[in-house]
Amino acid sequence: MAQTNQEVETALKNKDYTLAADLYFKMGSEAWGSGNPQKSMDLFTKGIDLSEDHKLKDRARHGWYSLGLVQFNSSEYNDAIKSFEKSLEYAKSGNDQEAAARSGLYIGKSYFRKGRNKRSVSTLEEALSIALKINDLDLQKECYSLLSKNHKAMGNEAKSAEYENSIALINRDLERKTELNTMEQQISSVKEELQYRGRVLEKVSDSLQGELKSRGQVLERVSDSLKEIAEISREQQLKIDLLNVEKELTDVSLKAKEAELENNKLVRNSLIIGLILVGLLGVVVYKGYKDKMKASEEIHKKQLDIESSINYGLRIQQAMLPSKEKIEELLPQSFVLFKPRNVVSGDFYWINELYNEKIAVAAVDCTGHGVPGAFMSMIGSNALDSIVNTYVDEPDKILHELHRKVFTALKQEETGNKDGMDMALCVIDTDRDQLYFSGAKNHLIYIKEGEVLQIRGDKHPIGGIRKVPASFTQHTIDLEGEMYFYMYSDGFVDQFGGPDNMKFMSKKFKSLIGEIYQLPMHEQKAKMEEAFATWKGDHKQTDDVLVIGFKLTV
């Protein structure tokens, strides 16, 4: 450490501030490794100050990130968040996307450790967006894992399971890439073996050709000798005949050797062709597998893009819905059972305090479900806000104005579009102890003195083309003692299930309300959820489900 301090002084004297900052960071890492976090943080801070004084942005980013790691591991999460945010700021200014994603990841980790799950989710989603953009699978896995834990901590098991599924998809891609690397190594090994066998066959061929050439030379010498012998006297004719026989035997032996060489050549060529065919087959299999992997990766990327877009749409829709605090303020004794069939919903609930202190509450079922239904829900919610801001407080007139706005917004007269919404709307007047109800195809169930009663909404919906202008009926209920009110979409009563796979039906729904209405509101909601889950069983959810219940006491 003393030597390093001396090196720092020398670097500062020579105005080599980059080296000096790196030495501070090196000493900081050594102090951390030796179990002295406070000294480590002091040294990282010195390096950061030096880097920022001399505009060494990349060194400053590294220093803040390292300081944040020490603080995070020392459970100083507030300080760690500040350090990682500084690192993120430098990473973004330097367009270092990987560094930005890692800094964002640790900010999300720190918020998770602090128990601030919503803030953690927001930061992690930004880090995940960068990780997807740069295709960093390890970063994506870490983000998905933490997002899953956050949603599980917030009680959102379905969302947690979605992120776990994304992790499984990434693991499957990594396994496929490992398989691809293994196949590439096997193909490379086959190519090397093919080259080796080719070299061996070339050596064998060269050796056989040399042997053949040598035998040919011997034959030429024998032939020359026979010519000389032909000039010898008749007395030596017997010897000459003997040599002729030997020559013929040599020819036979030479032809046999040539046949052997030809056979070896045939075997060598067959082996080469076989190995080439094996290699070509491997290349074809490899190309097919690679094309399949590429297609799989494109499908996975598109799936992740779609999931990201839908999740962003979910955040927009959740922001549009009334907060739990607002509902509790306006209707203290109430519950909302809201179960979208998909991630986003075509059902929505709406509550507002009107200009004259009346309270308006609505349960709305838009055409369709999922993404198309969600678009309609945003149109409906914005239109309701706009209408009540013009001092309209009677439910039949509110529905009439809503119909007009939907009709105009969707240009239904020109396009023939028939989309719209069914809804139940109540306006509560506490000054007069009265509740006013109007419905577009949806109904109101209420309980007075233990009797379950129902007011049916009008038969036509909001939106669509009709021969006569839209008009809705207003019903007035006098509030006396304790009364219970329930508005709902058709998702609950239309759910298929039970022993005969039939719809739940309105009669059974009213009977259920009659059994549970005396329970506290949160227990009523739990009983309804239990009844719905039991009836649905293993069947798919048919539609979005929405039930609003509230108690009024006069």
Side-chain angles (χ1 to χ4, degrees):
M1 186 69 76
Q3 181 179 353
T4 309
N5 280 322
Q6 187 175 359
E7 291 174 352
V8 170
E9 291 177 5
T10 303
L12 291 171
K13 185 177 180 180
N14 294 331
K15 297 184 179 181
D16 191 346
Y17 302 116
T18 301
L19 175 59
D22 287 343
L23 291 169
Y24 275 128
F25 296 151
K26 177 185 176 184
M27 289 190 291
S29 298
E30 291 171 352
W32 184 11
S34 62
N36 193 341
Q38 186 56 54
K39 188 171 183 179
S40 173
M41 287 187 275
D42 292 341
L43 289 165
F44 277 122
T45 302
K46 288 182 179 180
I48 291 168
D49 291 342
L50 184 63
S51 300
E52 291 186 334
D53 288 343
H54 296 283
K55 302 187 184 322
L56 305 175
K57 294 183 178 180
D58 191 53
R59 294 297 191 283
R61 177 196 58 75
H62 169 71
W64 281 115
Y65 183 79
S66 300
L67 177 60
L69 289 176
V70 178
Q71 292 165 336
F72 178 84
N73 283 279
S74 302
S75 301
E76 297 179 10
Y77 300 120
N78 288 332
D79 291 337
I81 288 169
K82 293 177 183 177
S83 297
F84 287 126
E85 284 177 343
K86 290 292 293 183
S87 175
L88 177 61
E89 183 182 333
Y90 277 111
K92 286 182 176 179
S93 68
N95 198 27
D96 189 336
Q97 296 190 68
E98 182 180 357
R102 292 201 174 277
S103 297
L105 172 66
Y106 267 96
I107 294 171
K109 280 186 178 182
S110 301
Y111 278 121
F112 176 71
R113 292 285 181 89
K114 283 166 61 65
R116 296 184 62 183
N117 302 107
K118 288 186 178 179
R119 189 66 182 272
S120 177
V121 166
S122 174
T123 307
L124 288 169
E125 285 178 343
E126 183 178 351
L128 174 61
S129 175
I130 300 173
L132 289 169
K133 185 177 180 181
I134 63 177
N135 198 27
D136 191 321
L137 296 181
D138 291 329
L139 264 173
Q140 290 174 31
K141 281 179 64 178
E142 289 192 67
C143 290
Y144 282 133
S145 177
L146 270 171
L147 283 166
S148 175
K149 291 176 182 177
N150 272 296
H151 281 288
K152 190 169 186 178
M154 292 189 290
N156 192 345
E157 296 289 345
K159 196 67 183 173
S160 175
E162 284 182 25
Y163 286 119
E164 289 295 336
N165 183 54
S166 296
I167 294 172
L169 287 172
I170 291 175
N171 286 334
R172 191 155 61 226
D173 281 353
L174 291 172
E175 289 173 3
R176 286 174 178 170
K177 287 185 178 179
T178 302
E179 292 174 3
L180 183 60
N181 290 335
T182 302
M183 181 171 285
E184 287 176 343
Q185 291 173 1
Q186 291 174 346
I187 290 174
S188 177
S189 176
V190 169
K191 287 181 179 178
E192 291 177 0
E193 179 67 17
L194 185 63
Q195 292 171 353
Y196 170 74
R197 292 295 178 90
R199 290 194 296 270
V200 169
L201 287 172
E202 285 178 2
K203 289 180 181 180
V204 170
S205 176
D206 292 343
S207 175
L208 290 174
Q209 289 177 359
E211 178 70 17
L212 182 62
K213 184 177 180 180
S214 174
R215 290 302 180 102
Q217 291 172 349
V218 170
L219 183 61
E220 287 178 0
R221 288 198 296 271
V222 170
S223 178
D224 292 342
S225 297
L226 288 174
K227 288 180 181 179
E228 293 177 2
I229 291 172
E231 297 174 0
I232 300 175
S233 62
R234 290 172 179 244
E235 287 81 8
Q236 298 191 8
Q237 186 66 45
L238 184 59
K239 293 181 180 180
I240 293 172
D241 292 340
L242 183 60
L243 288 173
N244 284 334
V245 170
E246 183 179 352
K247 178 178 178 297
E248 290 176 1
L249 290 174
T250 301
D251 288 342
V252 170
S253 176
L254 185 61
K255 289 178 180 179
K257 183 61 68 176
E258 289 175 347
E260 182 181 357
L261 283 173
E262 190 67 27
N263 183 58
N264 288 337
K265 182 178 180 182
L266 179 63
V267 170
R268 180 195 67 182
N269 291 341
S270 298
L271 179 59
I272 290 173
I273 291 170
L275 290 172
I276 289 172
L277 288 174
V278 170
L280 290 173
L281 178 61
V283 170
V284 170
V285 172
Y286 167 76
K287 186 177 184 302
Y289 185 79
K290 195 168 183 181
D291 290 343
K292 184 178 179 181
M293 281 292 298
K294 184 177 179 182
S296 176
E297 287 176 359
E298 290 176 355
I299 292 170
H300 177 53
K301 185 175 184 301
K302 289 178 180 177
Q303 180 184 355
L304 291 177
D305 289 342
I306 292 169
E307 287 180 1
S308 178
S309 297
I310 293 175
N311 289 334
Y312 186 72
L314 173 62
R315 292 199 298 274
I316 294 173
Q317 188 175 53
Q318 287 174 337
M320 175 197 76
L321 294 172
S323 66
K324 182 180 179 182
E325 292 76 15
K326 183 176 182 179
I327 295 171
E328 290 176 350
E329 177 189 353
L330 298 178
L331 291 174
Q333 294 292 314
S334 64
F335 73 83
V336 176
L337 172 58
F338 183 50
K339 294 177 71 66
R341 197 192 85 164
N342 305 112
V343 178
V344 290
S345 172
D347 286 7
F348 73 96
Y349 49 96
W350 175 86
I351 186 169
N352 218 326
E353 184 174 18
L354 306 184
Y355 71 97
N356 50 10
E357 298 185 352
K358 294 179 183 178
I359 297 168
V361 58
V364 189
D365 181 359
C366 298
T367 303
H369 43 73
V371 174
F375 277 119
M376 285 297 299
S377 73
M378 285 186 278
I379 292 173
S381 180
N382 290 332
L384 283 169
D385 289 336
S386 173
I387 292 166
V388 297
N389 285 335
T390 60
Y391 305 106
V392 179
D393 65 349
E394 297 170 88
D396 58 328
K397 292 181 179 178
I398 293 173
L399 294 189
H400 176 79
E401 282 300 308
L402 180 59
H403 168 77
R404 190 180 62 79
K405 284 183 176 291
V406 170
F407 185 82
T408 303
L410 299 181
K411 299 181 179 179
Q412 293 181 323
E413 187 171 7
E414 300 105 39
T415 64
N417 178 281
K418 297 180 181 180
D419 291 333
M421 54 195 75
D422 305 335
M423 65 185 292
L425 173 64
C426 288
V427 174
I428 304 164
D429 186 345
T430 54
D431 289 337
R432 296 184 180 181
D433 293 334
Q434 289 182 322
L435 179 143
Y436 311 102
F437 167 75
S438 292
K441 296 188 73 175
N442 282 1
H443 319 306
L444 173 69
I445 294 174
Y446 70 100
I447 296 177
K448 183 176 182 180
E449 297 178 351
E451 184 180 1
V452 180
L453 304 169
Q454 184 181 51
I455 300 177
R456 301 185 68 82
D458 291 294
K459 293 184 179 181
H460 43 265
I462 302 295
I465 300 173
R466 285 193 292 278
K467 294 180 180 179
V468 295
S471 62
F472 298 91
T473 307
Q474 177 171 294
H475 305 269
T476 303
I477 301 172
D478 293 323
L479 302 177
E480 299 175 10
E482 291 185 347
M483 298 181 66
Y484 302 83
F485 297 86
Y486 301 88
M487 297 185 293
Y488 53 98
S489 66
D490 59 4
F492 200 120
V493 297
D494 286 349
Q495 176 61 45
F496 283 93
D500 301 318
N501 192 25
M502 303 289 288
K503 288 185 178 182
F504 194 85
M505 303 301 289
S506 297
K507 183 178 179 181
K508 195 185 301 293
F509 184 66
K510 285 190 283 187
S511 177
L512 172 64
I513 290 174
E515 293 171 5
I516 67 173
Y517 78 91
Q518 291 179 316
L519 297 173
M521 284 295 165
H522 69 278
E523 292 185 25
Q524 290 189 43
K525 178 181 178 181
K527 288 290 184 182
M528 280 198 173
E529 287 182 321
E530 181 182 347
F532 182 80
T534 302
W535 182 261
K536 182 172 75 70
D538 295 331
H539 299 286
K540 290 182 178 180
Q541 185 172 328
T542 307
D543 198 355
D544 301 316
V545 172
L546 172 62
V547 181
I548 302 174
F550 58 92
K551 173 184 176 182
L552 298 177
T553 303
V554 178

